[in-house]
Amino acid sequence: MAKQIKGVYEKVYECAKKEFLSKGFKDASLRNIAKEAGTSTGSIYTRFHNKEGLFHAIVYPVVDELKSWFLEVQESFHKKDSDYQKKNMFHYSGMEAESFVAYIYDHYDVFKLLLECAEGTEFSDFLGHLVEIEMEYTVKYMEATKDDALKNKTITSEFLHIVTSSYFSGIFEMVRHDMKKEDGMLYAKQLREFYYAGFAKIYNWK
């Protein structure tokens, strides 16, 4: 068996990110990636099986870590009693939103790939999965706090899904617009306050 050259796969990852960011998944070329990385397409196929396997290897660890963290945050808050949830929902979500945005900037290139270059891969609906998690725990929050907004049709499930989707899409606009971290953190704070004000109006919160 041929000995693997130290650092070759780190170089493959680096060159693959560059190729995918430049051309998107569909038009990216394994031949170009191999050439830039100083290796062969055969070695890439051996390690990653195909182009999608290479894309998966780059983005999956970040996606998996984010989703695990997001679920943990949601579950931790849901385990609190209803009074705590009512009093601390906005404050708690604000603290976690800051961590969410910081994580995005820690893995900026990967999120750029997910948002702009993932068409044709298993990650093309990455945002949709986050929305579903948020929807699930929003409903749990309503049930725990005896919020009858859905039952009495103050809001509908369709409205809730659309607003949640637009919020997450809005968060990731900082990546699409190539905002610097400082600007992105401020933008995310303003966006959260904007959505909170909308719900405050609907619920007539004081």
Side-chain angles (χ1 to χ4, degrees), residues 19-43:
E19 178 79 1
F20 287 133
L21 285 168
S22 173
K23 299 179 180 177
F25 172 78
K26 287 185 176 180
D27 294 328
S29 165
L30 284 183
R31 182 176 297 177
N32 288 345
I33 293 169
K35 182 179 179 181
E36 290 295 318
T39 189
S40 66
T41 53
S43 69

Side-chain angles (χ1 to χ4, degrees), residues 9 12-13 16-17 20 44 47-63 110 113 122-123:
Y9 288 113
V12 168
Y13 277 44
K17 275 187 183 181
F20 287 133
I44 293 178
R47 178 70 178 263
F48 303 105
H49 303 296
N50 51 35
K51 187 167 65 173
E52 185 158 2
L54 177 55
F55 192 91
H56 178 101
I58 293 170
V59 305
Y60 177 76
V62 172
V63 171
V110 172
L113 287 173
E122 63 190 289
F123 302 100

Side-chain angles (χ1 to χ4, degrees), residues 34-94:
K35 182 179 179 181
E36 290 295 318
T39 189
S40 66
T41 53
S43 69
I44 293 178
Y45 277 111
T46 298
R47 178 70 178 263
F48 303 105
H49 303 296
N50 51 35
K51 187 167 65 173
E52 185 158 2
L54 177 55
F55 192 91
H56 178 101
I58 293 170
V59 305
Y60 177 76
V62 172
V63 171
D64 186 55
E65 185 174 43
L66 178 65
K67 287 176 69 176
S68 295
W69 171 82
F70 192 44
L71 280 167
E72 183 181 343
V73 166
Q74 298 278 12
E75 190 61 30
S76 175
F77 183 70
H78 180 63
K79 287 179 180 178
K80 306 291 185 181
D81 63 55
S82 60
D83 286 340
Y84 178 93
Q85 291 187 42
K86 281 183 179 180
K87 292 177 182 177
N88 295 280
M89 181 269 292
F90 185 68
H91 176 68
Y92 189 89
S93 65

Side-chain angles (χ1 to χ4, degrees), residues 3-4 6 12 20 23 26 28 40 48 57 60-61 68 71 73 95 108 124 127 141 143 148 155 158 192 201 203 205:
K3 184 178 179 180
Q4 298 295 342
K6 185 177 180 180
V12 168
F20 287 133
K23 299 179 180 177
K26 287 185 176 180
S40 66
F48 303 105
Y60 177 76
S68 295
L71 280 167
V73 166
M95 291 190 301
Y108 192 85
S124 59
L127 276 179
Y141 167 81
E143 291 173 348
D148 293 328
I155 59 174
E158 290 80 8
R192 185 172 61 88
K201 177 69 174 178
Y203 284 107
W205 291 336

Side-chain angles (χ1 to χ4, degrees), residues 99-125:
S99 297
F100 189 91
V101 173
Y103 187 83
I104 292 172
Y105 277 96
D106 286 343
H107 304 277
Y108 192 85
D109 285 350
V110 172
F111 285 104
K112 196 78 170 175
L113 287 173
L114 285 165
L115 294 166
E116 298 182 359
C117 310
E119 184 180 354
T121 77
E122 63 190 289
F123 302 100
S124 59
D125 193 29

Side-chain angles (χ1 to χ4, degrees), residues 122-141:
E122 63 190 289
F123 302 100
S124 59
D125 193 29
F126 159 71
L127 276 179
H129 294 155
L130 292 181
V131 170
E132 291 306 317
I133 293 171
E134 180 70 16
M135 282 287 295
E136 177 185 352
Y137 282 90
T138 298
V139 172
K140 286 184 177 183
Y141 167 81

Side-chain angles (χ1 to χ4, degrees), residues 136-182:
E136 177 185 352
Y137 282 90
T138 298
V139 172
K140 286 184 177 183
Y141 167 81
M142 291 174 141
E143 291 173 348
T145 58
K146 303 296 189 292
D147 184 337
D148 293 328
L150 287 174
K151 290 181 180 178
N152 63 28
K153 296 186 178 180
T154 301
I155 59 174
T156 65
S157 58
E158 290 80 8
F159 172 83
L160 190 59
H161 188 275
I162 290 168
V163 170
T164 303
S165 296
S166 66
Y167 173 74
F168 276 94
S169 293
I171 283 287
F172 283 102
E173 284 298 309
M174 66 181 70
V175 177
R176 295 189 176 98
H177 286 267
D178 297 312
M179 291 183 187
K180 294 180 180 178
K181 183 175 181 179
E182 182 179 346

